[in-house]
C-alpha cells in the first residue's frame, strides 16, 4: 500500500560511527553490521484507532535507527506492515457499525499524516496484511512441507517445537510464555492443540467474518504469520533488525522468527531483536484496549507544534518505560522557543563537536536524551545563559540545524 511522503534530509559533513543496538535475544548491545543495505522490519499498527503517543514513541525510536544508519553511510531498506485484518479491528468495526475495510483505511490514512507531521521517514515498503495473503498462503505451504502444521477443526496451527531454537528470541520460561500468550491473542486452552503455545496460521471462515479462498479452504491468516511472510518477501533472511514495542517480544516476534526459520531452514530470522519501552498514561500502558490514550492527531488539532511532540518523545530513551504527561509537552514547547532563539543568531558556540557527540550518542543504542542534552548545552553556551555568550563559530546555526534535522528529525 501507499506509504507517506519523505521529508528532505540534509547531509552531514561527518560520518557517524558504527551503530549498535540492544538485542533482546542476547540481552547485550550488538553492533549492526549491514551487508549492503541495512534491513529493518518494524511491526506496524492495527488500524482501528488513531496513533497514540506509545505508537509514536516506538516509530520515532526506530526512525532514529534509520537516521543513524544513513548518517553512518548506509542505504536503508525498511519494511513496515499494517495489520489491516485482525480480531480487534473487526470487533471495533462491528461495535461502531462501520465497514472494517473503511475503518482500516481511515485509521491508516490518519497514521500516515501523523507520521508525516512527526517527520518519521517512510518505510521503503509499507505493506498491508490483506494484500499479502498470497504470501501467507505460500509460507504456510512451506511450513506444511516441513511437517510443522496441523489441523484443529479446520483451523491450521503451527507447531512451535518444530523449531529447535524456539524460545531464543524472548528467553522466557514456559509459565511466563503461557501467561503472555493468553494475554496477547493466543489460545493456550483450546482442546485439540498439540502444545498449548502453538499458534494459529490460518483461521477457517466464521459467519460474519471476512474470508479469502486458499488451498486450505476459505479463511484468514493468523497474526504472526503475516509479519513473517511480509518480512521474508520484502527483506529476505537473515535481516538486520526486527523491531517493535516490548509488548511484541512474546509471542509475536518469537513466533515470526520460528515460522520463518522452520520454513526456510535458515537461522536466524533477524540478527538483532530490538524493542521499545512502553509508554504509559494514568498508571497503565497506553493501549487501545484500555482506552487511556493521548492521540498525536488530537494534539495536532490543538495547534501543538509537532516538533514539540517529537522532542518530548526524544527526551526519553527508546528502551525505557515512561509515563506521558502534558507537562513534558509544554516543557518541550518552551525548549524549542529557546533553541529557535539561539539558532536565529546564526553564529554560536563551536558546532562540530556537538555534531560528533550527538552522532556518537545516537549510534550507541539510539541515545536521544544524550544527543538532546548536547544540543541544549550548545544553546546555553550560545545564548550565554551560563555566563558570556559564545558566538565564536560563525556558521554554527546551519550545522546545528542540519544535525537536528538529519539525526533527530527535528526541523526548526
Ligand atoms: N499490528 C501489531 C503489530 S504486527 C500491533 O502491535 N499493532 S499496535 O497498533 O497495537 O501497535 C503498533 C506498534 O506500537 C507496535 O510496534 C507496538 O509494539 C507499539 N506500541 C503499542 N502500544 C505501545 C505503548 N503503549 N508504548 C510504546 N509502544 C507501543
Ligand atoms: Zn508484527
Amino acid at each position: 500500500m501507499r506509504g507517506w511522503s519523505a521529508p528532505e534530509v540534509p547531509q552531514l559533513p561527518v560520518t557517524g560511527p558504527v551503530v549498535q543496538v540492544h538485542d533482546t535475544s542476547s540481552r547485550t548491545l550488538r553492533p549492526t553490521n549491514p551487508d549492503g543495505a541495512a534491513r529493518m522490519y518494524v511491526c506496524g499498527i492495527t488500524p482501528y484507532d488513531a496513533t497514540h503517543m506509545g505508537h509514536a514513541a516506538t516509530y520515532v525510536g526506530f526512525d532514529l535507527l534509520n537516521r543513524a544508519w544513513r548518517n553512518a553511510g548506509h542505504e536503508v531498506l525498511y519494511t513496515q506492515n499494517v495489520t489491516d485484518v485482525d480480531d480487534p479491528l473487526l470487533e471495533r468495526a462491528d461495535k461502531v457499525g462501520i465497514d472494517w475495510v473503511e475503518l482500516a483505511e481511515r485509521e491508516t490514512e490518519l497514521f500516515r499524516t501523523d507520521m508525516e507531521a512527526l517527520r518519521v521517514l517512510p518505510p521503503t515498503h509499507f505493506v498491508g496484511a490483506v494484500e499479502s495473503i498470497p504470501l501467507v498462503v505460500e509460507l504456510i505451504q512451506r511450513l506444511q512441507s516441513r511437517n510443522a502444521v496441523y489441523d484443529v477443526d479446520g483451523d491450521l496451527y503451527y507447531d512451535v517445537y518444530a523449531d529447535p531454537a524456539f524460545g531464543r528470541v524472548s528467553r522466557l520460561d514456559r509459565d511466563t510464555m503461557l501467561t503472555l500468550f493468553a494475554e496477547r491473542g493466543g489460545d493456550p486452552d483450546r482442546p485439540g492443540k498439540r502444545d498449548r503455545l502453538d499458534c494459529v496460521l490460518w483461521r477457517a471462515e466464521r459467519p460474519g467474518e471476512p474470508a479469502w479462498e486458499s488451498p486450505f479452504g476459505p479463511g484468514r491468516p493468523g497474526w504472526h504469520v503475516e509479519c513473517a511472510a511480509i518480512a521474508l518477501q520484502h527483506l529476505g533472511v537473515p535481516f538486520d533488525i526486527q523491531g517493535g514495542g516490548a509488548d511484541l517480544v512474546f509471542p509475536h516476534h518469537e513466533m515470526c522468527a520460528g515460522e520463518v526459520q522452520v520454513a526456510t531452514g535458515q537461522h536466524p530470522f533477524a540478527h538483532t531483536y530490538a524493542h521499545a519501552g512502553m509508554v504509559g498514561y494514568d498508571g497503565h500502558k497506553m493501549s487501545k484496549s484500555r482506552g487511556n490514550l493521548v492521540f498525536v492527531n488530537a494534539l495536532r488539532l490543538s495547534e501543538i507544534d509537532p516538533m514539540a511532540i517529537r522532542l518530548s518523545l526524544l527526551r526519553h530513551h527508546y528502551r525505557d518505560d515512561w509515563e506521558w504527561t502534558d507537562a513534558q509537552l509544554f516543557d518541550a514547547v518552551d525548549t524549542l522557543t529557546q533553541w529557535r532563539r539561539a539558532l536565529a543568531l546564526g553564529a554560536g558556540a563551536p558546532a562540530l563537536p556537538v555534531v560528533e557527540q550527538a552522532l556518537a550518542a545516537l549510534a550507541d543504542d539510539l541515545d536521544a536524551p544524550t544527543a538532546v542534552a548536547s544540543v541544549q548545552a550548545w544553546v546555553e553556551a550560545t545564548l550565554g545563559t551560563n555566563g558570556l555568550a559564545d558566538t565564536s563559530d560563525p556558521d554554527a546555526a546551519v550545522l546545528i540545524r542540519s544535525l537536528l534535522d538529519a539525526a533527530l528529525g527535528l526541523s526548526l
Side-chain angles (χ1 to χ4, degrees):
M1 57 170 65
R2 188 173 54 80
W4 58 92
S5 62
E8 284 277 332
V9 182
Q11 186 78 39
L12 291 172
V14 283
T15 305
V18 170
V19 183
Q20 56 172 358
V21 176
H22 183 268
D23 172 40
T24 302
S25 171
S26 61
R27 299 194 161 95
T28 58
L29 285 183
R30 293 180 67 133
T32 58
N33 183 19
D35 179 13
R39 288 176 294 161
M40 159 162 86
Y41 187 95
V42 179
C43 280
I45 54 161
T46 305
Y48 68 89
D49 213 338
T51 317
H52 61 60
M53 299 314 298
H55 304 136
T58 289
Y59 297 117
V60 165
F62 287 99
D63 189 52
L64 295 174
L65 174 55
N66 193 341
R67 289 166 183 273
W69 267 335
R70 287 163 190 257
N71 292 327
H74 298 292
E75 196 191 316
V76 179
L77 200 59
Y78 177 12
T79 300
Q80 186 181 127
N81 69 299
V82 179
T83 311
D84 56 359
V85 60
D86 200 10
D87 299 344
L89 172 70
L90 299 174
E91 282 159 21
R92 175 65 63 91
D94 233 23
K95 205 159 132 192
V96 297
I98 119 169
D99 178 50
W100 66 274
V101 175
E102 211 179 297
L103 176 64
E105 280 176 0
R106 188 181 77 194
E107 298 305 335
T108 304
E109 183 53 25
L110 191 55
F111 175 72
R112 291 186 185 100
T113 58
D114 287 338
M115 291 297 106
E116 261 174 29
L118 294 175
R119 295 183 77 81
V120 173
L121 302 179
T124 324
H125 305 285
F126 189 53
V127 190
V130 171
E131 64 185 337
S132 305
I133 288 176
L135 301 176
V136 171
V137 167
E138 196 187 314
L139 182 55
I140 296 175
Q141 287 175 317
R142 287 174 81 174
L143 286 168
Q144 281 179 320
S145 73
R146 306 265 176 169
N147 293 322
V149 182
Y150 63 93
D151 185 298
V152 179
D153 303 327
D155 296 335
L156 297 186
Y157 276 82
Y158 167 66
D159 168 6
V160 291
Y161 286 103
D163 181 13
F166 175 68
R168 239 181 251 170
V169 173
S170 59
R171 306 226 176 238
L172 298 170
D173 60 69
R174 189 170 162 89
D175 282 348
T176 309
M177 285 184 183
L178 280 165
T179 305
L180 293 177
F181 188 63
E183 281 173 16
R184 299 173 178 168
D187 53 359
D189 300 323
R190 180 167 181 180
K193 285 173 61 173
R194 285 186 198 158
D195 189 284
R196 297 178 71 203
L197 291 171
D198 291 347
C199 63
V200 73
L201 292 167
W202 190 259
R203 184 177 148 87
E205 182 171 14
R206 308 287 200 273
E209 284 188 8
W212 288 264
E213 285 306 325
S214 82
F216 335 114
R220 63 182 166 98
W223 171 31
H224 315 306
V225 73
E226 293 169 358
C227 282
I230 293 170
L232 184 58
Q233 170 74 19
H234 295 281
L235 295 177
V237 288
F239 58 92
D240 296 288
I241 297 271
Q242 161 73 308
D247 56 340
L248 299 183
V249 174
F250 193 89
H252 189 50
H253 288 170
E254 189 75 63
M255 301 298 185
C256 292
E259 288 169 1
V260 171
Q261 287 166 173
V262 169
T264 62
Q266 281 218 58
H267 290 74
F269 176 56
H271 290 301
T272 298
Y273 298 88
H275 292 102
M278 289 289 110
V279 180
Y281 189 54
D282 278 348
H284 293 276
K285 170 193 156 188
M286 204 179 275
S287 75
K288 289 180 273 205
S289 47
R290 183 170 266 277
N292 55 333
L293 304 169
V294 177
F295 293 119
V296 174
N297 179 252
L299 296 177
R300 284 170 52 214
L301 287 174
S302 61
E303 306 292 315
I304 296 283
D305 177 357
M307 293 299 95
I309 304 175
R310 184 159 174 133
L311 178 59
S312 46
L313 301 174
L314 293 172
R315 280 182 159 161
H316 297 275
H317 192 277
Y318 82 100
R319 271 205 289 137
D320 289 343
D321 295 331
W322 55 280
E323 280 266 323
W324 173 264
T325 58
D326 292 345
Q328 296 172 56
L329 182 60
F330 300 137
D331 198 56
V333 170
D334 291 345
T335 299
L336 288 186
T337 306
Q338 188 199 29
W339 286 13
R340 287 189 171 110
R341 206 150 39 84
L343 290 167
L345 297 177
L352 200 56
V354 182
V355 174
E356 282 164 352
Q357 281 164 23
L359 291 183
L362 289 162
D364 183 12
D365 202 22
L366 317 177
D367 185 355
T370 298
V372 167
S374 304
V375 174
Q376 182 65 36
W378 175 86
V379 166
E380 288 172 12
T382 298
L383 293 175
T385 51
N386 296 327
L388 274 185
D390 181 352
T391 50
S392 59
D393 180 347
D395 303 319
V398 172
L399 192 51
I400 297 292
R401 266 210 180 86
S402 298
L403 168 71
L404 286 170
D405 198 349
L408 291 168
L410 291 168
S411 170
L412 300 188

